[in-house]
Amino acid sequence: MERDSAMLCDRIWTHARIATLREGAPDMGCIEDGAVGTVGGAIVFAGNAADAPDAREVIACEGRWITPGLIDCHTHLIHGGNRAREFEMRLAGASYEEIARAGGGILSTMKATRAASEAELVASALPRLDALIAEGVTTVEVKSGYGLNAETEIRMLRAARRLGGERPVRVETSFLGAHALPPEYAGDVDGYIAMLCDAWMPQVAASGLADAVDAFCEGIGFTAEQTRRVFEAAARHGLPVKLHAEQLSNRHGAALAATFRALSADHLEYLDEDGVAALARAGTVATLLPGAWYFMRETKLPPVEGLRRAGVPIAIATDCNPGTSPLTSLLLAMNMGATLFGLTAAECLAGVTRHAARALGLGDRIGTIEVGKSCDLAIWDIESPAELVYRMGFNPLHARIWSGQ
Ligand SMILES: [Zn+2]
């Protein structure tokens, strides 16, 4: 890039090694002696330090690595209580489905969440959010789905939005009313779906509290047909969709999601070849959640090689939730993506930056270090980006920049 003598940056980070993660760039789009400049929170320069414009504030990075700020594109950060007791039960031999039938599982979190005020939900989520932020996360997706009534679902979404006011982080929200069947609707799944679609969806859409609509298509969740009704209601209100799909069995949820041009299909252990092809055709992101796979001691691996061959963008997220993935480390999720699922270091990095941005419909605004995008950066004390994937339980973050600050 040519030096722009007229440009004066608010701030510039210079003499850094930069992994831009630009689309199509080889080797993570690395720049050896690079600089990133910002004006008004946006990136206005990303290139060789020698070409960098002037700035009011110059920060020498002394050869540290800069990556895009990390993006956790699938979390259930907002919830009441925790499920350590259930964890103990599972250690003693009970299965996820047995615990669900015994009134544990999602429903126990539902009770705790319904009982919590908005302030309590925010307060209990902040330490989890802070753990993510401490690892360089600058954008986080947060779902509802533990209220399972209109009032609590809205309260969860409002609490999620408030997290973005409490901390310097971008919060994207998903309405996950179709997470589980609440006891009030026992024996009447279709009645619940009708209520969700006809009464709650308009309310959620009008409130502006949800950026997307999600559902759990599974034997212990909702059928593909019920999921379709939720997606049709979302479409009527102009909300994009995403889906928990093919986690415990193949219900062809990912293919259904693809027909609605879903932002992402998530989990995908039981995804078949047709599902892979459908995701590829729709440009839907495959979000892998190795924390849940690990915590539930699953054995069926997601079809990484098939996704790779078909050119489906792969994201990685924590799935932070109290029941199946109490994980608040996106760095560890990357390590699991590599160690358990066989992703390369470069795929793991793209999975928590460029592809995670796309899974949130924000591919044009965040996820890479490029002119015009939000200046969300993570600065690391590492020798190479692969070190972020390699280590377990070690956090080499030097500084985190959100919107140029
Ligand atoms: Zn989830």
Side-chain angles (χ1 to χ4, degrees):
M1 180 184 276
E2 289 297 303
R3 191 190 183 100
D4 183 349
S5 55
M7 193 199 290
L8 179 66
C9 292
D10 296 337
R11 206 164 287 109
I12 197 155
W13 293 266
T14 189
H15 301 305
R17 288 180 282 179
I18 303 172
T20 64
L21 273 301
R22 273 187 305 117
E23 176 97 63
D27 197 24
M28 301 191 218
C30 288
I31 303 168
E32 262 309 309
D33 184 18
V36 182
T38 182
V39 172
I43 295 172
V44 295
F45 177 87
N48 293 318
D51 304 326
D54 292 326
R56 290 192 184 86
E57 186 185 352
V58 177
I59 299 138
C61 293
E62 299 166 339
R64 290 190 179 90
W65 277 92
I66 301 182
T67 66
L70 306 189
I71 300 165
D72 194 349
C73 66
H74 181 141
T75 86
H76 307 252
L77 273 192
I78 294 278
H79 56 258
N82 73 65
R83 306 238 289 269
R85 172 69 195 120
E86 181 180 310
F87 179 58
E88 287 186 287
M89 277 174 67
R90 246 182 351 97
L91 291 174
S95 75
Y96 186 57
E97 286 188 281
E98 280 165 357
I99 289 167
R101 285 198 202 96
I106 287 174
L107 293 187
S108 66
T109 299
M110 179 202 77
K111 286 187 194 124
T113 304
R114 285 182 178 180
S117 68
E118 185 181 316
E120 285 166 344
L121 290 175
V122 171
S124 72
L126 281 175
R128 298 187 280 271
L129 178 61
D130 287 338
L132 294 173
I133 286 174
E135 289 189 342
V137 168
T138 48
T139 298
V140 60
E141 186 260 13
V142 182
K143 302 175 195 299
S144 70
Y146 293 122
L148 308 179
N149 61 30
E151 179 201 339
T152 316
E153 287 291 307
I154 297 265
R155 186 159 76 243
M156 285 187 75
L157 291 170
R158 199 173 284 127
R161 278 273 193 260
R162 262 181 60 186
L163 293 176
E166 297 284 333
R167 295 291 186 270
V169 68
R170 183 177 296 95
V171 174
E172 290 288 303
T173 56
S174 302
F175 170 51
L176 179 58
H179 194 194
L181 187 69
E184 304 87 272
Y185 282 86
D188 185 18
V189 189
D190 289 326
Y192 180 66
I193 292 293
M195 175 65 82
L196 190 157
C197 293
D198 301 337
W200 303 356
M201 193 75 79
Q203 223 180 313
V204 166
S207 72
L209 289 170
D211 300 309
V213 171
D214 197 346
F216 185 33
C217 184
E218 191 53 73
I220 56 168
F222 297 92
T223 66
E225 184 44 43
Q226 289 152 354
T227 302
R228 172 188 293 281
R229 271 176 259 157
V230 174
F231 283 180
E232 283 167 352
R236 281 199 292 279
H237 293 280
L239 288 167
V241 299
K242 42 183 49 236
L243 186 65
H244 289 68
E246 273 77 86
Q247 180 185 8
L248 306 170
S249 60
N250 184 8
R251 310 263 156 177
H252 308 286
L256 172 71
T259 66
F260 284 84
R261 308 201 72 78
L263 295 172
S264 69
D266 303 30
H267 286 290
L268 302 177
E269 281 81 351
Y270 285 81
L271 184 68
D272 63 14
E273 268 178 50
D274 291 347
V276 171
L279 294 180
R281 276 195 304 276
T284 296
V285 173
T287 299
L288 304 184
L289 305 168
W293 191 90
Y294 161 85
F295 193 74
M296 299 310 288
R297 291 190 265 179
E298 296 292 348
T299 50
K300 178 100 166 96
L301 286 162
V304 165
E305 186 49 41
L307 292 167
R308 198 181 267 147
R309 235 184 298 117
V312 176
I314 299 172
I316 299 173
T318 62
D319 192 17
C320 176
N321 78 71
T324 62
S325 187
L327 172 63
T328 48
S329 171
L330 197 52
L331 292 176
L332 185 54
M334 275 200 279
N335 175 273
M336 290 177 176
T339 307
L340 303 176
F341 291 173
L343 296 172
T344 68
E347 285 171 334
C348 290
L349 258 299
V352 298
T353 56
R354 186 174 76 243
H355 294 162
R358 194 166 153 178
L360 298 176
L362 298 176
D364 55 344
R365 289 170 51 197
I366 56 172
T368 65
I369 300 177
E370 286 180 279
V371 170
K373 289 202 174 174
S374 180
C375 188
D376 299 350
L377 311 173
I379 307 178
W380 308 96
D381 279 314
I382 51 175
E383 301 281 323
S384 77
E387 214 176 313
L388 297 177
V389 182
Y390 154 74
R391 294 195 183 281
M392 296 184 285
F394 182 74
N395 181 4
L397 188 76
H398 171 74
R400 170 190 174 277
I401 316 299
W402 183 71
S403 266
Q405 304 281 338

